[in-house]
Amino acid sequence: MATKILLKMRKLLFLICTIISTVVYSQKPDSLELFLTEFQKVAFVTSDSIYKFTRFITADGKFYFREGFVDPYLTGGELFFGSSDLVQKTGEYKLTFKSGSDHIDTINNYFPVRQTKNNQDLLINISDELGYSYILRQVGETDKINLADNIIRVLYPCEELNYCTLYHVFTIRFFADSVKLYSHTGRSIDFNGIQLIQTDSCLLKKRDIESIMKQMTKVKPIPDMECRRPGNPWVFEYNNGTEYKHFAISNYCLRGQKDLRPVATLCYLILGIGNKYFDTNCSLSP
Amino acid sequence: MNAATHAGNINSFGQFAGYYGIGAAAGAVGAGVGLGVSSALARGSFLGGVMGTSSVVSTGFASGFVSGAAGGFSGGFINGFGNAAMNSDNDFSDMLSAGFDSGWKGGLFGGVSGGIAGGIDAVRHDRNFWTGSGKQGVVVKTNGELIGEQDYNAPYTTPQTRDYYNTQLSDNGSVTTASNGQITIKIPNSVDRITGMAAPDNTFFTNVNIGRNALTITPLDQASYVIMHGWRYYSNPVTSFKDLFYWRPRFF
């Protein structure tokens, strides 16, 4: 008797769960909302070339690039039911595109584009450098690191695996008698793309300088390395007046990469110091 | 706490101080070992975890269980060993025996409670309860092959690659068509949930039904393919031991 009741309860529970987990859409032409994405042509200028891209931005600030000057009208439209990482609000949509501006946006590269073994890797590098040069420009950190500078710069995306709309840039400049930390935060919430929302600077305390320098001694012997995928890589650069180093590493690529651990430790140390001084972290609410 | 639970054995201030000190030491060592193991699992330094200066922290039930068990065993062992040592009738083997007995109980309790705490931490950061891995938006085919949604739209992904992730509605073993024209598409195990579906502009569907195990649509016209969007927890399903352990930067 008890078993029968238990069986009935399990069937009822299963039915309730199935109903709850089912989402139903019916397409009617006049019930479709428009999901608008704006696009703009971009010229990415590096030291040896100019690359053509098209930047797409959705109404809630998610952005991505496609290679070349793409005319989305020619590729055909799409219908969308439900939600995804890009189409966040659940609904029934007709995906539409609109030119944000006829002007070609020129973005200068603030990073070295290194030689790679194949064209696929080169395109990954270039698209990463394009995205991060765009962010640096938008937050005002446009100084390309000169060989004479004594500087550390970290660009950290606040989303590890998906579209990122919040970035932190920390720059540490070493002067003769002091060390200064600069913080910039950029966020994308609409068609305007990445906008600077927070900027600050302060002198670092002696203890923090010492902990950074101590970790730097472990990083110095490590050659430039990249571990970009899977996920969104963060960028760590440093220049001590004699050598420049650049690392592009994603947290999910770090797994199993023992050699990169000192670099990651230093990056997180700087993020922690930034959090301590400016209360910056990745839990910024809209 | 330790002094209170052994109040019946305390006959002098020295004994009170002894029991108190053992409890304090057990608590401190247990906490330190737990934090250290947690940091080590997260690829930080063990000592950094002990000192509370580690910049990464492991997350998820599995990591929490291991660090909780390690801390619980250490603290329990010291507690049992130390308390046995307070009794002058006990020799070293009695102390060891008491230590291990207290240790395994502490390890079990610490493991379960640490695991639950680790799982809750993971969920609070929108990660998998059991492993601590993050959520990834994906485009997936019925045979389980998938690509991150961000990679799908990236400049380095060719139109041919994007087309590869179309789910064909004909000649597909995971797609069945009923006599009334309703199409059922089986959702593969490699994705945790399908949340959306894209279709070419010139197709018309009614009754798009996105369930947990299948997606059903009723096309009014001939439809050749759809594109399934969803999400998965990274490294789901778990295929190796290291897939059980994930970490996150402490301050972010």
Side-chain angles (χ1 to χ4, degrees):
Chain A
M1 178 71 173
T3 318
K4 278 187 183 171
I5 294 169
L6 212 62
L7 206 59
K8 277 190 180 166
M9 280 175 67
R10 277 171 66 181
K11 282 183 184 171
L12 186 63
L13 198 63
F14 177 75
L15 185 64
I16 292 168
C17 287
T18 307
I19 291 168
I20 290 167
S21 67
T22 295
V23 183
V24 181
Y25 302 95
S26 280
Q27 178 184 342
K28 300 184 187 85
D30 50 358
S31 73
L32 290 175
E33 281 183 62
L34 295 182
F35 185 88
L36 182 62
T37 302
E38 284 192 3
F39 65 94
Q40 184 177 9
K41 294 173 187 169
V42 169
F44 183 47
V45 180
T46 67
S47 56
D48 57 352
S49 194
I50 299 176
Y51 298 90
K52 291 178 184 175
F53 286 91
T54 304
R55 181 178 58 231
F56 294 83
I57 301 183
T58 66
D60 61 357
K62 301 263 170 81
F63 63 93
Y64 58 94
F65 296 89
R66 289 274 174 100
E67 197 188 5
F69 288 163
V70 172
D71 188 343
Y73 302 123
L74 295 178
T75 57
E78 271 188 346
L79 302 172
F80 198 92
F81 303 86
S83 67
S84 72
D85 188 31
L86 198 63
V87 182
Q88 286 259 295
K89 192 176 153 208
T90 303
E92 301 171 53
Y93 298 100
K94 183 175 166 61
L95 304 184
T96 59
F97 298 88
K98 179 187 143 202
S99 175
S101 169
D102 292 330
H103 157 74
I104 299 176
D105 187 14
T106 301
I107 298 174
N108 293 316
N109 182 27
Y110 298 109
F111 303 99
V113 176
R114 270 82 58 80
Q115 294 302 314
T116 57
K117 289 178 190 162
N118 58 61
N119 284 337
Q120 178 73 357
D121 285 348
L122 180 63
L123 200 45
I124 291 173
N125 291 4
I126 288 170
S127 65
D128 282 349
E129 259 80 73
L130 163 63
Y132 291 146
S133 294
Y134 164 64
I135 288 153
L136 286 180
R137 184 190 74 180
Q138 295 300 104
V139 301
E141 253 290 317
T142 50
D143 292 339
K144 209 167 178 180
I145 291 178
N146 296 314
L147 272 182
D149 294 336
N150 200 340
I151 189 171
I152 295 174
R153 184 162 68 189
V154 172
L155 192 160
Y156 194 86
C158 281
E159 173 56 56
E160 289 178 318
L161 287 171
N162 304 299
Y163 290 102
C164 186
T165 54
L166 180 65
Y167 295 84
H168 291 290
V169 180
F170 293 105
T171 309
I172 299 173
R173 291 185 185 273
F174 295 83
F175 301 105
D177 55 355
S178 62
V179 179
K180 202 166 183 185
L181 172 67
Y182 301 82
S183 165
H184 299 86
T185 300
R187 184 189 214 154
S188 179
I189 58 168
D190 55 25
F191 291 123
N192 292 318
I194 292 285
Q195 302 295 310
L196 176 68
I197 60 168
Q198 202 172 10
T199 184
D200 213 333
S201 64
C202 69
L203 292 175
L204 283 181
K205 290 177 187 165
K206 191 179 169 193
R207 190 161 67 170
D208 294 321
I209 298 170
E210 282 169 0
S211 57
I212 289 170
M213 297 313 295
K214 188 180 171 189
Q215 191 58 32
M216 274 298 300
T217 59
K218 296 176 189 171
V219 170
K220 276 181 185 168
I222 302 172
D224 282 10
M225 282 176 85
E226 295 174 352
C227 195
R228 294 174 183 264
R229 297 294 183 274
N232 298 318
W234 42 265
V235 179
F236 175 88
E237 302 169 276
Y238 89 83
N239 188 77
N240 60 4
T242 54
E243 69 170 342
Y244 168 82
K245 284 210 179 145
H246 170 274
F247 300 90
I249 300 169
S250 87
N251 288 340
Y252 276 77
C253 188
L254 265 179
R255 290 165 59 74
Q257 299 275 349
K258 213 172 159 185
D259 295 341
L260 291 172
R261 224 181 281 175
V263 183
T265 302
L266 181 52
C267 172
Y268 301 143
L269 174 66
I270 292 170
L271 298 182
I273 289 170
N275 177 68
K276 188 171 73 172
Y277 282 84
F278 308 122
D279 199 25
T280 50
N281 54 51
C282 284
S283 60
L284 212 62
S285 52
Chain B
M1 184 78 173
N2 193 51
T5 54
H6 289 84
N9 299 335
I10 296 173
N11 298 310
S12 68
F13 180 77
Q15 285 177 326
F16 171 80
Y19 280 112
Y20 187 90
I22 289 162
V29 168
V33 168
L35 283 171
V37 169
S38 173
S39 179
L41 278 173
R43 305 296 190 259
S45 75
F46 181 88
L47 282 178
V50 172
M51 300 294 291
T53 58
S54 178
S55 52
V56 293
V57 60
S58 54
T59 186
F61 183 94
S63 298
F65 183 90
V66 171
S67 56
F73 178 84
S74 316
F77 181 88
I78 289 174
N79 206 47
F81 185 94
N83 287 332
M86 290 296 292
N87 186 342
S88 54
D89 294 334
N90 290 329
D91 60 16
F92 188 71
S93 63
D94 292 328
M95 295 175 209
L96 268 183
S97 177
F100 280 119
D101 184 60
S102 199
W104 78 258
K105 288 170 188 165
L108 183 63
F109 180 78
V112 171
S113 55
I116 291 171
I120 290 171
D121 178 79
V123 168
R124 282 183 62 218
H125 291 87
D126 205 21
R127 291 167 175 261
N128 183 284
F129 176 89
W130 299 106
T131 65
S133 64
K135 255 185 197 175
Q136 183 187 27
V138 295
V139 172
V140 65
K141 291 170 66 166
T142 50
N143 64 359
E145 287 180 282
L146 52 79
I147 182 172
E149 185 164 341
Q150 203 178 195
D151 288 324
Y152 182 80
N153 281 315
Y156 44 83
T157 301
T158 62
Q160 292 79 14
T161 301
R162 287 190 201 100
D163 289 343
Y164 178 77
Y165 288 95
N166 294 343
T167 293
Q168 301 298 329
L169 299 180
S170 56
D171 294 325
N172 188 334
S174 299
V175 177
T176 52
T177 306
S179 53
N180 61 359
Q182 185 183 66
I183 294 175
T184 301
I185 304 168
K186 190 166 173 282
I187 292 170
N189 292 332
S190 60
V191 65
D192 282 84
R193 193 74 64 88
I194 293 292
T195 54
M197 183 197 79
D201 195 9
N202 55 357
T203 46
F204 288 90
F205 297 121
T206 60
N207 298 325
V208 176
N209 185 337
I210 302 176
R212 273 190 177 264
N213 298 311
L215 191 157
T216 57
I217 52 177
T218 307
L220 297 178
D221 255 330
Q222 187 67 28
S224 58
Y225 71 88
V226 295
I227 304 164
M228 295 197 291
H229 292 254
W231 61 267
R232 63 153 184 174
Y233 286 115
Y234 199 78
S235 294
N236 194 26
V238 167
T239 54
S240 70
F241 184 68
K242 72 168 188 174
D243 289 342
L244 290 171
F245 303 102
Y246 279 82
W247 48 267
R248 58 176 180 80
R250 177 182 288 278
F251 298 107
F252 279 67

